Amino acid sequence: MSQMHNPYAEERCKAQFAINHRAAWVFAVVFMAVLWIPPLWEHIAQAAKGKWNATPVARLMSWRPSHGPLIEHLHAVEKTLDHAGYAVALRQTVQAWLTHDAQQGNSKIFIGYNGMLFYQPDLNALTGYGPLKEEPFSVMKDPDLAKLPLAKNVIIKFAAQLKERGISLLLVPVPLKPMIYPELVTGDIQYEWMTHPEAGAFYTSLRSNGIDVLDLTANFARLRGQRRHVFERAPDPKDKTAVTQAQTQARELTEVFLRQDTHWTPEAMRFSAEKVAAHVKMNFPQAVHLRFNMIKAVDSVQRESIGDLVKLLDLENPGPSFASEQVLLQVIGESTEDRDSPIVLLGDSFVNVFDDPSLGFENPAKPEDNISAGFAQTLALRLQQPLDVIAMNGKGSTGVRKALAARPDDEVRAKKLVIWVIAARDLLLSRSAARAAGIEWADVAFNPKRGETATEPVISSEARIVIEAKLVEKSKNQDPNGSPYRDALHTALYDVENVKEGTLDAKQVLGVQWTFKNKQMQPTASSIPGRRYRLTLVPWESKKELQSINLQDDSTAYDATRWFVEKMDLAP
């Protein structure tokens, strides 16, 4: 074998770099100190507070073969390191410098032109492999990805399941921010709007299978070119400052997306509700039962929020770089929701924003109260008809369908129309990109039981109960650092062993319990299958304020009654 020669030998750097042994030892000691002192100090501090069991080392050493695969335990311990005090401080300090001085985001956030923030999965939904052309196996590092169903096939099967029950499906993909503001991503203004190259063919394939698809992308692009409606009283002509301000506002164009949030503006939301309502009235008259002036707008309120994208930057103090965005919301009165409505609205956080206070824009005086200015309320106002609403933050692809499918068969068959409002990213991302973004596509099985038998075993008491139970299986924990949502829940299936307080006629219960709250992991997230727990339960139906929160539900135990786990301790 001939020897290879460097053709650029004359350009080789001939400088020699060397350090003596003493300097090498100093650097080595400093490097090891940087690695070891912060975590060591963190463990000592937690132990001093009596929280040793919550430290990564304690969690690591707690594993037993009965707890499940070791690899899953190691991954869980690894995630706890992300929330350690020293890790949070270092991450937030570096990110503050990158954001403020270098205008750089992180793995979740892209900072575009004019300070517009974009969600990275939204950008991924416009390029690369999409909803039709399957990724080659070499791209998939995880072999299980090849087994995941395509979104198209899942949607077509779901539409067939509905059709079998006499129900029509209207799919409404919500355009993404970079689709409508591409010039703020690339700096290139030649495109009025853009989408994934396969989007058109994808929607056509769904329509060819009898699914009505209402794509609003082009409508949104035209909306951002229209002058903004100003819902304010005309100023006094003598007030020159107010007149000048009103004239300036009248020249402004409509903003379709919030600058620091993944979601649409109230103007775009109301525009979408008008389009959907008109489409439903024209194409699905069998589902519409107009009752004029039953639903009314009762108030207009000014609210503000820093935005979920700013929160995903994970800055200790976002104030120097970002100010809260203000919006004017139209509050809708009562009678907008009714489980017996012939129209079901399935949705994600685009449906819940401006209603769910955990997504921002809450009333500072009553931060836990629903806002009643979201898409569901606005669509009900436009239709003058209450809706059966199933909307879950981050679970618009499978979670909401699963919740509908779990209902009694006769209740589902009474429906006439399902309106499925879902972020376009969920539809357009490839399987591997969807998995990375926490988006799940899975078939759902409809509950065959009728109303009089579907809720068995019967809950004999609505009061709070206390039981001792063995954890059988648990849905996976979501990562608070990778989620745009403030709160998250998960389900856990328990075998009931003893009823300590109250009355319960059931051998199994499906507990809905906290994963994280206000981005802080909760004790119930650490529950381990195989262990016995003492649980304080209240009926899940009584926790209306939690129904829209991001819920990870991997269970297929339809017969198990659902309870909210109010308190959990290890059983004696």
Side-chain angles (χ1 to χ4, degrees), residues 471-487:
L471 179 55
V472 178
E473 62 180 22
K474 174 175 171 289
S475 298
K476 63 184 179 183
N477 288 334
Q478 300 177 72
D479 182 5
N481 289 333
S483 172
Y485 307 112
R486 184 182 71 187
D487 306 321

Side-chain angles (χ1 to χ4, degrees), residues 193-211:
W193 57 271
M194 65 185 303
T195 188
H196 192 280
E198 293 181 354
F202 173 64
Y203 296 145
T204 298
S205 70
L206 296 180
R207 293 185 180 106
S208 67
N209 282 275
I211 301 171

Side-chain angles (χ1 to χ4, degrees), residues 173-220:
V174 179
L176 308 174
K177 189 190 296 188
M179 291 180 176
I180 310 303
Y181 293 95
E183 77 282 2
L184 296 181
V185 178
T186 66
D188 189 345
I189 62 173
Q190 64 174 311
Y191 299 106
E192 182 182 8
W193 57 271
M194 65 185 303
T195 188
H196 192 280
E198 293 181 354
F202 173 64
Y203 296 145
T204 298
S205 70
L206 296 180
R207 293 185 180 106
S208 67
N209 282 275
I211 301 171
D212 193 350
V213 180
L214 181 59
D215 181 13
L216 299 173
T217 308
N219 300 91
F220 271 37

Side-chain angles (χ1 to χ4, degrees), residues 68 113 137 241 268 273 305 328 334 402 405 449 455 555:
Y113 290 87
F137 183 78
T241 302
S305 173
L328 185 66
E334 298 179 350
K402 192 171 184 178
K449 296 184 177 181
T455 57
S555 174

Side-chain angles (χ1 to χ4, degrees), residues 107-237:
S107 61
K108 294 289 183 181
I109 305 301
F110 175 80
I111 301 180
Y113 290 87
N114 297 334
M116 181 76 85
L117 301 186
F118 295 91
Y119 189 38
Q120 189 62 51
D122 286 358
L123 298 174
N124 297 340
L126 306 184
T127 60
Y129 289 96
L132 295 179
K133 185 179 179 180
E134 296 194 31
E135 299 163 292
F137 183 78
S138 59
V139 173
M140 303 182 185
K141 297 180 180 179
D142 183 354
D144 290 338
L145 285 172
K147 303 175 185 177
L148 294 178
L150 291 172
K152 182 187 75 169
N153 297 336
V154 172
I155 295 170
I156 291 173
K157 181 176 180 179
F158 179 61
Q161 291 171 313
L162 293 176
K163 184 177 180 181
E164 178 187 344
R165 291 161 174 78
I167 307 169
S168 301
L169 175 62
L170 170 60
L171 182 67
V172 185
V174 179
L176 308 174
K177 189 190 296 188
M179 291 180 176
I180 310 303
Y181 293 95
E183 77 282 2
L184 296 181
V185 178
T186 66
D188 189 345
I189 62 173
Q190 64 174 311
Y191 299 106
E192 182 182 8
W193 57 271
M194 65 185 303
T195 188
H196 192 280
E198 293 181 354
F202 173 64
Y203 296 145
T204 298
S205 70
L206 296 180
R207 293 185 180 106
S208 67
N209 282 275
I211 301 171
D212 193 350
V213 180
L214 181 59
D215 181 13
L216 299 173
T217 308
N219 300 91
F220 271 37
R222 288 192 291 271
L223 178 64
R224 68 165 288 196
Q226 297 178 6
R227 301 219 178 268
R228 187 167 70 94
H229 293 284
V230 180
F231 300 96
E232 294 182 3
R233 187 174 299 173
D236 186 340

Side-chain angles (χ1 to χ4, degrees), residues 30-57:
V30 171
F31 179 71
M32 294 303 293
V34 170
L35 288 181
W36 283 98
I37 291 178
L40 181 60
W41 179 258
E42 176 77 11
H43 281 74
I44 293 174
Q46 291 296 324
K49 297 176 182 178
K51 299 181 179 179
W52 170 255
N53 290 334
T55 62
V57 168

